[in-house]
Amino acid sequence: MFEVLDLGRLGYRDAWDRQLQIAEGVSQGGPDTLVFVEHPPVLTLGASFHEENLLKSREEIGALGIELISTDRGGDVTFHGPGQIVAYPIFDLGRHGKDLHKWLRNLEEVLIQTLQTFGVQGRRFAPHTGVWVEDRKVAAIGIKVKRWVSIHGIALNCNNDLKPFELIVPCGIQGYGVTSLTLETGRDVSVQEGRSALTRSFELLFR
């Protein structure tokens, strides 16, 4: 089983520091830990980031009160902000098959099962990582694995403002939109609901 830690609303860098602290403990035999957090507005730039996927200058983005932070996770650029639940499963993959491909597919499955909780049909969209509703992306995935311990994770749009995604080419994938649980269900879906549903889905898959 795993422990659950809710950091509430916390800046991206501070949450990243917490991840690294927890990952060190997990690598030394500590329990797998599922960390939840809601970030203030931030664009994170992954290891595969391409500058042309910013559709505004860094100065213009900063003037909107949105941070830009380079990270070591996989993928390109994505947005985090209030109303989006971010889950960082800091798991020792030695306990879960030591298979990166399987790990990513399992994270997608967690999200697909979570969407089903709300009556929303999610899907994979190979070769891209993440989960989609038809041609709209509802959840992003970006991880880094070191010594078989995974950090970073998944971001599920609950009731967040989607306009900041217009500043970027989300995850570097041209021609597709983004969506949220609130849009897809036609009712307000809070981060608390999203967090509870994600926790249940992780428990079902990793118990």
Side-chain angles (χ1 to χ4, degrees):
M1 209 41 198
F2 54 85
E3 295 186 350
V4 178
L5 176 63
D6 186 354
L7 298 180
R9 189 170 295 186
L10 186 66
Y12 188 87
R13 286 190 175 89
D14 288 339
W16 192 358
D17 286 342
R18 290 295 300 276
Q19 285 190 75
L20 294 175
Q21 293 167 7
I22 294 165
E24 183 61 31
V26 172
S27 72
Q28 295 178 14
D32 293 339
T33 304
L34 178 60
V35 177
F36 287 111
V37 66
E38 196 178 357
H39 291 306
V42 59
L43 290 176
T44 63
L45 316 177
S48 302
F49 169 65
H50 295 83
E51 191 73 28
E52 62 267 26
N53 290 326
L54 294 181
L55 302 180
K56 297 285 186 182
S57 72
R58 291 173 180 251
E59 292 74 24
E60 289 173 300
I61 291 168
L64 295 172
I66 299 173
E67 269 195 291
L68 286 96
I69 298 178
S70 296
T71 82
D72 59 355
R73 64 160 173 79
D76 205 293
V77 58
T78 196
F79 173 77
H80 300 308
Q84 179 194 72
I85 187 65
V86 178
Y88 295 129
I90 306 175
F91 284 26
D92 180 351
L93 301 191
R95 303 165 185 163
H96 303 284
K98 270 193 178 181
D99 184 329
L100 294 183
H101 180 79
K102 179 184 177 184
W103 176 239
L104 289 169
R105 300 295 79 78
N106 280 342
L107 294 181
E108 289 171 344
E109 186 60 30
V110 162
L111 286 160
I112 289 169
Q113 290 182 14
T114 298
L115 295 181
Q116 288 175 349
T117 302
F118 298 94
V120 175
Q121 185 63 48
R123 71 178 183 98
R124 294 178 174 88
F125 184 24
H128 309 297
T129 301
V131 172
W132 304 67
V133 179
E134 297 178 355
D135 62 352
R136 303 175 297 277
K137 194 166 193 178
V138 69
I141 298 175
I143 66 167
K144 178 180 175 63
V145 174
K146 182 177 180 181
R147 291 182 292 179
W148 287 108
V149 174
S150 183
I151 64 169
H152 301 297
I154 62 182
L156 174 62
N157 296 332
C158 293
N159 58 1
N160 46 310
D161 179 7
L162 300 179
K163 284 192 70 64
F165 285 99
E166 297 174 7
L167 301 169
I168 61 175
V169 178
C171 303
I173 304 170
Q174 292 275 2
Y176 295 91
V178 293
T179 189
S180 67
L181 279 172
T182 291
L183 278 180
E184 296 301 325
T185 60
R187 70 171 182 85
D188 185 69
V189 177
S190 68
V191 293
Q192 290 79 12
E193 284 185 272
R195 181 181 62 226
S196 295
L198 276 169
T199 302
R200 287 194 298 272
S201 295
F202 268 99
E203 288 171 349
L204 286 171
L205 205 60
F206 294 105
R207 65 187 173 187

